[in-house]
Amino acid sequence: MKRTVKFGLFPKKDAECKPLRMRVSYDGFRVDFRVGYSIEPEKWNAEEGRVVANARNKFRQTAGEINRAITSCQEGIEAIFTRYELLEKRAPTPEE
């Protein structure tokens, strides 16, 4: 099943530190999830979908810690889709 998983910043006005978002698009659906971390826009590499190396957010969380969480989210989504494809023979609903 074709799908895309992209990471970005939630567009939160007047916030110096913006929450990270994982957007999953498939079958005409677009579902957004919070990653659980925030980062300043100047420390975010939109092209790579990762925090710039050696950066820290205002909570002193490191780029490595945040980027590992992003990777973990991506692996989790892939596992969910694999399970549905192999066992359920269908796509998950956005609620699932």
Side-chain angles (χ1 to χ4, degrees):
M1 168 188 319
K2 185 174 179 175
R3 62 188 164 271
T4 59
V5 179
K6 294 183 180 179
F7 293 89
L9 304 176
F10 272 109
K12 193 172 181 183
K13 291 184 179 181
D14 302 326
E16 68 179 69
C17 209
K18 299 192 183 278
L20 291 176
R21 165 183 73 193
M22 175 176 65
R23 176 171 280 173
V24 182
S25 301
Y26 68 99
D27 281 349
F29 297 112
R30 186 182 305 165
V31 185
D32 290 337
F33 300 92
R34 288 185 181 267
V35 174
Y37 289 88
S38 298
I39 195 71
E40 294 83 354
E42 64 272 9
K43 297 176 183 175
W44 178 250
N45 183 328
E47 188 174 304
E48 292 183 16
R50 297 291 187 268
V51 176
V52 174
N54 301 317
R56 288 182 179 265
N57 65 11
K58 73 176 188 175
F59 305 108
R60 309 292 299 153
Q61 296 161 320
T62 66
E65 176 183 354
I66 298 168
N67 288 337
R68 280 190 297 277
I70 290 169
T71 300
S72 178
C73 288
Q74 188 163 16
E75 289 169 351
I77 283 295
E78 292 301 327
I80 289 168
F81 273 90
T82 298
R83 181 182 144 245
Y84 272 88
E85 288 171 349
L86 296 177
L87 300 178
E88 307 276 337
K89 306 287 191 234
R90 66 178 178 87
T93 66
E95 294 76 23
E96 291 172 325

